Amino acid sequence: MKMKAAVMTGLGAPLEIQQVELAPPKANEVLVKIAATGVCHSDLNAVQDPSTPFPTILGHEGAGTVVEVGPNVRTVKPGDKVALSWVPYCGTCEFCVTGAIHLCESAFGPMFNGTLLDGTSRLSKDGLPLFHNSLLSTFAEYAVVPDMSCVKLPDAMPLAQASLIGCGVATGYGAAVNAAKVTPGSTVAVFGIGGVGVNAIQGARIAGASKIIACDMKPANLEIAKQFGATHTVNVSEGDAPELIRAITNGFGVHYAIDCSGHTAATTNAWNATRKGGTIVVVGAFHPEMLLSLPAGGFHRVGKVIKGSFYGDTQPYRDFPKIAELYMDGKFMLDELVISRVSLEEINQAFDSFHDCNCANVGRSVIDFQKEPVQNREYHPEFI
């Protein structure tokens, strides 16, 4: 079939809107009509990354409706609304069989090569293959994706909001709920208040934390954090962040610190701001050349745990429907994360906003193929 897509044609080049061809799904694959897709900073990183194969169709935060399924697909059927996960898993490796499906490595070879799981592409133009991105390629009207990437959602779930669940929302929520395992009545500090950080705040709120401290150097982001559940804020550029956090927590420090910043200096602050026996979760991706420094003196005596968390330790078939349910019940804020709705033809403007320090970065520009209106919903934090 022919469809419209935004194609990356060169390193650092603006995306081009082109007519491309999409082949039918093969075994264990699903054809999805894309309704909405978020424009994530990771997509910009891919445009600027010399290792990204091109020409390729980017996009990894998507939601839509199942049109057709290939042989052996049992998880979804035509007509189902689905959110897409860019990290499918095999279900049989050492990690999957022990429940750590977020650590499955089966998808990464094909992902880095720009193919689907069988090592081939369903995308082409004028008879020449195009590359897939993150096994999804949602910057297009349709996508053929692995069946394990398709998570069925309630029929009433609006798809612009659903598109955000598959990356930043699940990562932040999962960092608090799955990786940190925040407990009721505990104290939490979240470093880096962007699209992941605000959802870590939401996860901590839903888990019942009594104090949630948002830490950032951007005053506007700290104000936004309050809307999502932060009870306190710390501007890390205006003082000793661990000392300020200890002052909020009776001198002890927080039970949990979640670093969404991608900067090792914030991780050091998170360590120093956490009390004895506390847990530090690092979900932000470090640059390979960064060095992480932690205090060595008395390291064994403080009993702290520091761990990395990929994708918020997310299990999509468990967590995506749960987040959708929380949203539908007015307990999880997704409407507010849709910063703007743009057409596919406006995608480069969405990319340009990443370079503008005055643009909001707590949320996403969403390419909305159907211009679905935001439903009038009431948010009820008291129900949590």
Side-chain angles (χ1 to χ4, degrees):
M1 65 183 297
K2 292 186 180 295
M3 67 174 183
K4 185 168 59 175
V7 182
M8 174 185 168
T9 59
L11 185 65
L15 303 188
E16 296 182 7
I17 307 302
Q18 299 181 357
Q19 285 286 332
V20 303
E21 289 82 39
L22 180 65
K26 295 184 179 181
N28 303 307
E29 294 176 354
V30 178
L31 172 64
V32 177
K33 179 177 174 60
I34 302 297
T37 177
V39 181
C40 176
H41 200 279
S42 296
D43 297 310
L44 175 63
N45 293 343
V47 172
Q48 299 173 337
D49 186 347
S51 69
T52 301
F54 61 85
T56 186
I57 299 173
L58 301 177
H60 65 281
E61 290 186 346
T65 304
V66 175
V67 175
E68 180 183 349
V69 299
N72 304 327
V73 174
R74 301 290 184 268
T75 54
V76 293
K77 64 184 184 304
D80 284 346
K81 279 188 173 182
V82 292
L84 301 179
S85 169
W86 61 276
V87 190
Y89 52 93
C90 69
T92 59
C93 71
E94 174 77 12
F95 299 105
C96 286
V97 297
T98 56
I101 62 175
H102 58 285
L103 298 180
C104 177
E105 292 285 336
S106 63
F108 288 95
M111 187 183 298
F112 294 145
N113 291 331
T115 68
L116 292 182
L117 292 175
D118 69 350
T120 65
S121 176
R122 305 295 165 269
L123 297 164
S124 63
K125 180 176 172 61
D126 300 329
L128 299 176
L130 300 175
F131 291 103
H132 293 259
N133 180 257
S134 297
L135 304 164
L136 299 181
S137 292
T138 58
F139 291 166
E141 294 177 303
Y142 294 85
V144 169
V145 303
D147 60 344
M148 293 299 289
S149 290
C150 292
V151 182
K152 187 179 185 305
L153 296 179
D155 290 340
M157 183 70 190
L159 291 172
Q161 289 83 338
S163 70
L164 304 184
I165 293 177
C167 186
V169 169
T171 300
Y173 168 87
V177 175
N178 301 328
K181 300 187 186 303
V182 171
T183 55
S186 62
T187 55
V188 181
V190 178
F191 289 79
I193 309 304
V196 174
V198 292
N199 290 297
I201 288 172
Q202 294 210 81
R205 170 176 53 74
I206 288 166
S210 62
K211 292 181 179 179
I212 304 171
I213 307 167
C215 306
D216 203 293
M217 60 177 58
K218 196 171 180 179
N221 286 15
L222 293 174
E223 284 302 309
I224 291 172
K226 296 176 184 177
Q227 301 174 25
F228 287 86
T231 60
H232 300 75
T233 63
V234 167
N235 190 318
V236 298
S237 67
E238 296 181 351
D240 185 308
E243 182 178 326
L244 294 169
I245 291 169
R246 284 193 293 272
I248 297 170
T249 55
N250 300 319
F252 290 104
V254 292
H255 295 91
Y256 307 95
I258 302 171
D259 179 15
C260 307
S261 71
H263 296 283
T264 53
T267 309
T268 302
N269 276 338
W271 175 274
N272 290 329
T274 303
R275 66 179 60 198
K276 291 180 180 180
T279 298
I280 301 93
V281 172
V282 179
V283 70
F286 297 145
H287 189 280
E289 296 180 0
M290 288 181 175
L291 296 177
L292 176 60
S293 176
L294 300 176
F299 188 92
H300 65 294
R301 292 194 300 109
V302 296
K304 299 181 186 181
V305 174
I306 183 168
K307 62 173 293 186
S309 175
F310 175 66
Y311 206 23
D313 293 15
T314 294
Q315 294 190 18
Y317 281 88
R318 176 194 66 196
D319 295 332
F320 286 18
K322 178 62 175 179
I323 294 169
E325 176 187 349
L326 288 166
Y327 167 79
M328 299 294 289
D329 288 344
K331 302 174 184 178
F332 200 102
M333 298 169 69
L334 291 178
D335 297 342
E336 296 78 3
L337 294 175
V338 181
I339 296 174
S340 64
R341 297 174 184 237
V342 300
S343 68
L344 187 65
E345 288 77 8
E346 296 171 306
I347 189 169
N348 288 307
Q349 297 174 34
F351 274 84
D352 290 343
S353 68
F354 289 124
H355 302 292
D356 184 350
C357 63
N358 294 315
C359 281
N361 68 333
V362 182
R364 294 280 192 269
S365 293
V366 173
I367 298 170
D368 192 342
F369 289 95
Q370 59 178 7
K371 297 295 182 184
E372 187 177 60
V374 176
Q375 296 180 4
N376 292 322
R377 298 168 46 260
E378 293 185 2
Y379 169 56
H380 301 292
E382 68 273 14
F383 292 165
I384 298 171

